């Protein structure tokens, strides 16, 4: 029994020494900070956190200048380059754009009208023509995308065609027919409200120098896919149901900022 007791006591003593040694090493490697220092550090940390939260909740006002510009004119060279890459997608292109004299292009106005007529663009321009800064933007053009142009557009107001043809009461649709047979029908009131023009000149030059072809329909606040080109006939009719509004039901990335104008068309 004595031997057993001695071994037990010796083991306990060794364990005590080891624990004491370990404690000394820990104390040397990780010195214990004074309680007052801990409290001060905690308090400072709390103040810093509170300040950070306050700043995040009440950010200081940032002053600056925000500007936007829709009057910068796109050069005809740039327009031509853009259309050569996206000719089947941008601004209502047709399969084969005829190169002709746009002023001698003949345009017929027919349908439910009292005075159907056919005349050259030159003849109509002598009676009524407008010029304004307008934009042509692809409906699928993303934010900061390049599928948009702004130009000085000159052309025949569609309202002139309607008035000269004497549209019948109740007429509610207008169809633009291109040289390739493409027909695009839209609500008559919509086209009138969008200051539509059949352009024959862009930036002081024939359309062949920019978008191509001889004429092109331009409207405000309308996706460029409806900008029909090389129009040979405008048909005004009275339909049982008013045609759908261009782009209705479509979701465009930059809607409703498509086909906008920088100045009202007189």
């Amino acid at each position: 029994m004595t031997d057993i007791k001695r071994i037990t006591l010796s083991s306990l003593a060794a364990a005590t020494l080891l624990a004491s040694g370990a404690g000394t090493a820990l104390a040397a490697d990780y010195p214990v900070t004074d309680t007052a220092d801990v409290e001060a550090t905690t308090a400072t940390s709390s103040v810093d956190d509170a300040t950070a939260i306050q700043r995040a909740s009440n950010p200081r006002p940032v002053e600056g200048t925000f500007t936007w510009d829709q009057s910068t004119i796109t050069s005809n060279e740039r327009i031509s380059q853009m259309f050569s890459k996206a000719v089947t997608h941008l601004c209502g292109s047709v399969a084969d754009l005829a190169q002709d004299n746009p002023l001698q292009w003949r345009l017929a106005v027919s349908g439910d009208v009292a005075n159907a007529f056919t005349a050259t663009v030159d003849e109509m321009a002598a009676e009524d023509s407008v010029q304004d800064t307008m934009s042509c933007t692809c409906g699928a053009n993303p934010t900061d995308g390049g599928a948009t142009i702004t130009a000085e557009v000159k052309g025949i107001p569609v309202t002139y065609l309607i008035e000269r043809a004497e549209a019948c009461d109740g007429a509610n649709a207008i169809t633009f027919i291109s040289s390739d047979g493409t027909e695009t029908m839209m609500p008559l009131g919509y086209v009138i409200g969008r200051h539509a023009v059949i352009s024959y000149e862009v930036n002081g030059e024939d359309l062949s120098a920019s978008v191509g072809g001889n004429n092109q329909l331009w409207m405000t606040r309308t996706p460029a896919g409806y900008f029909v080109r090389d129009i040979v006939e405008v048909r005004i009719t009275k339909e049982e149901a008013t045609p759908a509004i261009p782009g209705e039901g479509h979701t465009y990335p930059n809607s409703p900022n498509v086909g906008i104008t920088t100045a009202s068309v007189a």
Side-chain angles (χ1 to χ4, degrees), residues 98-149:
Q99 299 300 322
D100 206 338
N101 183 344
L103 292 177
Q104 295 304 309
W105 188 270
R106 298 183 68 80
L107 189 65
V109 181
S110 63
D112 296 323
V113 297
N115 183 35
F117 69 92
T118 299
T120 64
V121 171
D122 191 24
E123 292 170 347
M124 291 184 285
E127 295 187 17
D128 197 352
S129 181
V130 296
Q131 179 172 320
D132 217 323
T133 303
M134 301 181 73
S135 294
C136 174
T137 304
C138 179
N141 187 46
T143 301
D144 198 31
T148 181
I149 60 176

Side-chain angles (χ1 to χ4, degrees), residues 9 13 30 44 62 68 76 78 91 113 130 158 190 192-193 226 234:
L9 290 174
Y30 306 96
T44 302
V62 177
W68 58 274
N76 281 346
R78 171 59 179 158
C91 293
V113 297
V130 296
V158 172
Y190 177 93
I192 294 173
Y226 293 89
V234 177

Side-chain angles (χ1 to χ4, degrees), residues 37-186:
D37 292 339
V38 173
E39 292 177 352
T41 302
T42 302
T44 302
S45 177
S46 299
V47 171
D48 291 342
D49 291 344
T51 301
I53 293 173
Q54 184 178 12
R55 288 176 178 174
S57 303
N58 303 292
R60 291 179 297 174
V62 177
E63 296 183 358
T65 302
F66 172 77
T67 60
W68 58 274
D69 176 31
Q70 290 179 305
S71 61
T72 300
I73 302 301
T74 309
S75 69
N76 281 346
E77 181 181 5
R78 171 59 179 158
I79 295 174
S80 179
Q81 291 174 349
M82 184 182 301
F83 273 74
S84 65
K85 294 179 180 178
V87 68
T88 59
H89 303 287
L90 191 62
C91 293
S93 62
V94 292
D96 183 19
L97 296 175
Q99 299 300 322
D100 206 338
N101 183 344
L103 292 177
Q104 295 304 309
W105 188 270
R106 298 183 68 80
L107 189 65
V109 181
S110 63
D112 296 323
V113 297
N115 183 35
F117 69 92
T118 299
T120 64
V121 171
D122 191 24
E123 292 170 347
M124 291 184 285
E127 295 187 17
D128 197 352
S129 181
V130 296
Q131 179 172 320
D132 217 323
T133 303
M134 301 181 73
S135 294
C136 174
T137 304
C138 179
N141 187 46
T143 301
D144 198 31
T148 181
I149 60 176
T150 299
E152 291 291 341
V153 179
K154 188 174 184 179
I156 309 298
V158 172
T159 51
Y160 161 79
L161 303 179
I162 298 170
E163 292 170 1
R164 177 172 169 176
E166 299 179 24
C168 297
D169 292 340
N172 60 357
I174 185 167
T175 302
F176 297 93
I177 304 172
S178 298
S179 59
D180 66 349
T182 300
E183 297 189 8
T184 303
M185 178 183 285
M186 289 177 269

